[in-house]
Amino acid sequence: MQLAHTRGIFNGNVLVSRNGKVIYEKSLGYADGSKANVLTSAYKFDIGSVSKEFNGAAILLLKQRGKLSLDDPISKFLPELPAWASTVKVKHLITYTSGIPGFEPTSAESDSLVWANLKGLKTLKFEPGTAYIYNHYNVYLQMRIVEKSKRATLRRFHY
């Protein structure tokens, strides 16, 4: 991490733990762009978009286990959505080519607001697979599909 910082490609806090015990902790760089405040472990960072990869990995594991196909329409898992959901496939969600537009973000955007926006969506911005829009609505739907697939799997094995 020190080398990455020296090369100018990392600025942040690093913490490594093993079995609940901190084995390495270091702050590298500055707390802001002005470089007026040296970074310390007291500064916290938003984890950002690093959790999105877990959705993709979960979807690919479900595919590998035969629980879904990347070519399944999302309506298979979320039949409550409007007709456009039958044209959007799982693969479109993980490649951000679903055609689902970005909605006006709000600071109070909750899962229920995201769901309401999707249920109220009349048309897609473009035909799925023909263009790219990065937005968290794709991620939200990925999570719902993983949940539905997991629940369906569990129901089959519980009597």
Side-chain angles (χ1 to χ4, degrees), residues 140-151:
Y140 173 85
L141 290 170
Q142 293 169 21
M143 291 186 297
R144 299 294 76 85
I145 289 170
V146 169
E147 284 177 352
K148 293 276 185 160
S149 297
K150 182 179 172 185
R151 285 185 191 143

Side-chain angles (χ1 to χ4, degrees), residues 31-91:
D32 55 33
S34 70
K35 297 185 178 182
N37 299 306
V38 174
L39 188 62
T40 70
S41 61
Y43 287 95
K44 305 298 179 211
F45 293 87
D46 186 352
I47 195 168
S49 294
V50 298
S51 63
K52 294 175 181 171
E53 289 78 9
F54 294 104
N55 294 336
I59 286 170
L60 293 178
L61 281 171
L62 289 165
K63 175 193 176 292
Q64 185 179 43
R65 294 175 181 168
K67 305 301 178 194
L68 62 72
S69 166
L70 296 180
D71 288 318
D72 284 339
I74 64 172
S75 59
K76 176 179 178 180
F77 307 96
L78 304 163
E80 315 87 87
L81 290 174
W84 56 260
S86 63
T87 66
V88 176
K89 297 179 179 179
V90 172
K91 68 182 176 186

